[in-house]
């Protein structure tokens, strides 16, 4: 079960020492997801620069993410492999952080941390995919301070982006690799839900109702958003999205994609040099953080 026992302790300290501050601003427990912190993690991710799969920059980013996860008590491992791409073999590695529960069922939250290789432009991918990489780091901090019965596994996928033109064989390298590995070692049979996030930092947030995702998880997402007063950020009309959840959907896993695929006028910030930090907001990351944390609470146990 997710627990918020720390709230009481925080409030007592608060009333003792900072009563004035308490009267004006509600104190959030340590277990609360912070959109501000997620945005700061995103900014640090983007500062690594252009970071396509196989680059020196993504290697440095990977080392930093791992260094942030270790103090949280996560069991961190790298799922390393060589992808065959149209540009030749490319070394890739998914980052897997497991927060153990009772070892029975597992809930997985995923997102990618590579940027699309785009010749001639300086594509830093603040939203795609700085936002998912930063979001998952803040979620890791929350999970580390939260009791849960299920194992919670966070995954940063490498190689989501196509090297050339998007196709079944040139895209989703990391998620296809991990799905195959988890099917073989039995992990997949323990996964009760997988939630993938992508492009979730847009100031003008509107989340797709992805018809390729599991119906029950879509209903859970929309109901949770409505309960939290965030319904206006979630579109009701359906669309079909091809993203890192698809290899798992195809394997029969209960999986959901949370993505805002309407980024700037006519999606003009997507995969262009306009995808920069000034297009993002802490508020949007807060909405997704609150919804995902509440969904994890509902799914747990
Ligand atoms: Zn992309």
């Amino acid at each position: 079960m997710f627990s918020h026992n720390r709230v009481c302790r925080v409030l007592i300290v608060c009333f003792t020492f900072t009563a004035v501050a308490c009267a004006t601003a509600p104190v959030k427990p340590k277990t609360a997801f912070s959109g501000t912190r997620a945005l700061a993690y995103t900014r640090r991710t983007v500062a690594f620069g252009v970071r396509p799969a196989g680059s020196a920059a993504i290697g440095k980013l990977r080392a930093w993410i791992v260094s942030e996860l270790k103090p949280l008590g996560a069991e961190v491992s790298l799922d390393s492999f060589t992808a065959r791409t149209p540009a030749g073999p490319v070394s890739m590695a998914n980052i897997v952080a497991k927060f153990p529960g009772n070892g029975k069922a597992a809930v997985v939250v995923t997102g990618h941390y590579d940027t699309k290789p785009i010749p001639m432009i300086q594509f830093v991918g603040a939203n795609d995919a700085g936002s998912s990489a930063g979001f998952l780091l803040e979620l890791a901090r929350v999970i580390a301070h939260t009791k849960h019965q299920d194992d919670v596994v966070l995954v940063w996928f490498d190689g989501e982006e196509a090297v050339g033109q998007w196709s079944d064989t040139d895209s989703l390298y990391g998620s296809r690799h991990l799905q195959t590995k988890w099917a073989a070692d039995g992990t997949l049979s323990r996964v009760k839900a997988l939630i993938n996030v992508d492009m979730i930092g847009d100031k003008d947030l509107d989340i797709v109702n992805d018809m390729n995702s599991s119906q029950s998880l879509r209903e859970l997402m929309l109901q949770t958003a409505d309960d939290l007063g965030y319904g206006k950020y979630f579109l009701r009309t359906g669309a079909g999205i091809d993203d890192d959840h698809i290899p798992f959907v195809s394997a029969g896993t209960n999986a959901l994609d949370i993505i805002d695929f309407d980024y700037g006028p006519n999606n003009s910030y997507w995969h262009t040099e306009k995808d920069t930090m000034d297009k993002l907001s802490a508020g949007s990351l807060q909405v997704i953080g609150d919804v995902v944390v509440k969904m994890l609470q509902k799914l747990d146990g």
Side-chain angles (χ1 to χ4, degrees), residues 272-294:
T272 71
E273 65 271 56
K274 291 179 182 160
D275 184 1
T276 46
M277 285 302 298
D278 57 299
K279 311 301 190 309
L280 313 188
S281 77
S284 295
L285 292 164
Q286 187 71 56
V287 168
I288 304 303
D290 288 344
V291 169
V292 169
V293 169
K294 182 61 90 176

Side-chain angles (χ1 to χ4, degrees), residues 52-210:
S55 65
I58 199 171
K60 289 178 186 166
L61 170 58
R62 183 183 307 129
W64 173 68
I65 291 173
V66 170
S67 75
E68 290 289 315
L69 290 169
K70 289 267 169 76
L72 296 175
E75 295 174 9
V76 184
S77 59
L78 294 182
D79 171 34
S80 303
F81 60 102
T82 302
R84 275 181 293 180
T85 81
V90 177
S91 296
M92 301 189 188
N94 300 316
I95 305 166
V96 181
K98 179 176 166 185
F99 295 88
N102 60 22
K104 293 175 186 166
V107 176
V108 186
V109 186
T110 65
H112 75 103
Y113 71 108
D114 62 308
T115 55
K116 181 168 177 59
I118 307 177
M120 310 301 284
I121 72 163
Q122 189 72 8
F123 178 66
V124 298
N127 198 25
D128 185 12
S131 66
S132 43
F135 174 91
L136 288 174
L137 276 172
E138 170 59 1
L139 186 63
R141 194 196 60 76
V142 172
I143 300 299
H145 294 97
T146 310
K147 286 194 180 130
H148 47 91
Q149 292 183 34
D150 296 334
D151 294 347
V152 179
V153 183
L154 306 185
V155 182
W156 286 252
F157 287 126
D158 203 343
E160 185 266 357
E161 300 286 3
V163 171
Q165 195 69 33
W166 184 281
S167 70
D168 287 349
T169 53
D170 184 16
S171 66
L172 311 180
Y173 293 98
S175 49
R176 284 190 286 131
H177 188 269
L178 190 66
Q179 183 275 317
T180 302
K181 181 182 172 184
W182 278 1
D185 71 12
T187 300
L188 213 51
S189 62
R190 298 197 300 114
V191 175
K192 68 159 76 163
L194 182 145
I195 300 169
N196 186 68
V197 297
D198 196 4
M199 299 176 68
I200 46 168
D202 184 4
K203 275 179 182 170
D204 182 14
L205 189 68
D206 45 359
I207 297 298
V208 171
N209 184 8
D210 169 40

